Amino acid sequence: MNRTQVLLAIPGNWSSAEAVNEQISLHSEGYTMAGLLLLEDETGKAFTVEVIERDPALAEAMIHASTSGFTPKIAKGLARHTHIVYLIVDVNDVSDIAAARRAANALLNAGGLGVMVETAGVAYSKEEWQESKEEDLALDYSLLTAITEEETAYMSWGMKAFGQADVAVPSTLDVEDAIHVIHSFNFHLISGGSMFGDGDSFAFDDGRTFTVEMGEDERTSIDNLLHNPFGLIYLVPQTTEG
């Protein structure tokens, strides 16, 4: 797995930056603050944290990036946040992804209101993020990635969290089919399936086959948090000529 980083923004109602540390000590259930590091007591994993004062733009971005639409109560709570904790996670393997979700849970328990996955452009309420605490790669994938519909293609975002390229399929596919193809290909990669090169084929059990076209991620500038340095893969449906 390619080394990478995950960036999570967690707004909350804390009276000060120092209060964040205090609430983590009281309510995080197994985590300790040491300067700018959040330490997971059981595993020794360390996460860099940065605390800043409220940013109305983040709350607005989270409301627009919600996967299911926040209730008015949740949206109002986000708008009234006082501070934001940025959680920076160095990822070397999939166990670090699971650790990132646990660390975000700890910050939510300490007063966080929700999670903005800055590296995928998707946001969740506290309840959505904590809906399941099981160790599950499929759940980690669903939380840290997103799919959008663009003018000519459906595209995934956030696969750089797993050290992989994002994927695009043509908009000529039915939306449900497009989502299925993207999720299937992405999960194949992150779960240890065979890797692909330019021109290779990816086949489904129903006989459909897609040609893999490797490319650069030119959707955003290189310094954009959404930019995927591992590239963008186009899956082109192969036609069967009778």
Side-chain angles (χ1 to χ4, degrees), residues 93-192:
D93 56 48
V94 292
S95 69
D96 293 326
I97 297 290
R101 180 156 61 94
R102 295 195 302 269
N105 281 336
L107 292 171
L108 292 171
N109 290 336
L113 300 170
V115 179
M116 178 72 175
V117 184
E118 297 279 12
T119 41
V122 63
Y124 304 92
S125 67
K126 176 180 178 179
E127 291 72 21
E128 289 172 326
W129 187 270
Q130 294 188 322
E131 187 173 3
S132 174
K133 294 185 179 180
E134 296 181 4
E135 294 291 316
D136 181 18
L137 180 60
L139 179 57
D140 294 336
Y141 166 76
S142 69
L143 289 174
L144 295 179
T145 63
I147 294 177
T148 61
E149 181 181 2
E150 308 300 331
E151 185 174 350
T152 61
Y154 297 95
M155 299 180 174
S156 71
W157 299 83
M159 280 292 287
K160 71 176 183 179
F162 299 90
Q164 300 288 349
D166 274 297
V167 174
V169 298
S171 57
T172 52
L173 270 64
D174 175 83
V175 58
E176 292 185 1
D177 191 28
I179 291 172
H180 172 67
V181 170
I182 290 174
H183 284 332
S184 297
F185 186 83
N186 283 346
F187 200 72
H188 169 87
L189 293 180
I190 69 174
S191 59

Side-chain angles (χ1 to χ4, degrees), residues 191-238:
S191 59
S194 58
M195 302 299 290
F196 295 91
D198 194 47
D200 287 345
S201 296
F202 179 71
F204 284 83
D205 292 339
D206 62 7
R208 290 186 305 157
T209 305
F210 292 78
T211 299
V212 175
E213 294 185 357
M214 312 294 291
E216 300 294 325
D217 184 5
E218 299 178 341
R219 299 173 295 178
T220 63
S221 60
I222 294 177
D223 58 351
N224 190 302
L225 288 172
L226 294 174
H227 177 76
N228 191 328
F230 307 113
L232 180 65
I233 295 173
Y234 291 88
L235 295 181
V236 181
Q238 294 182 6

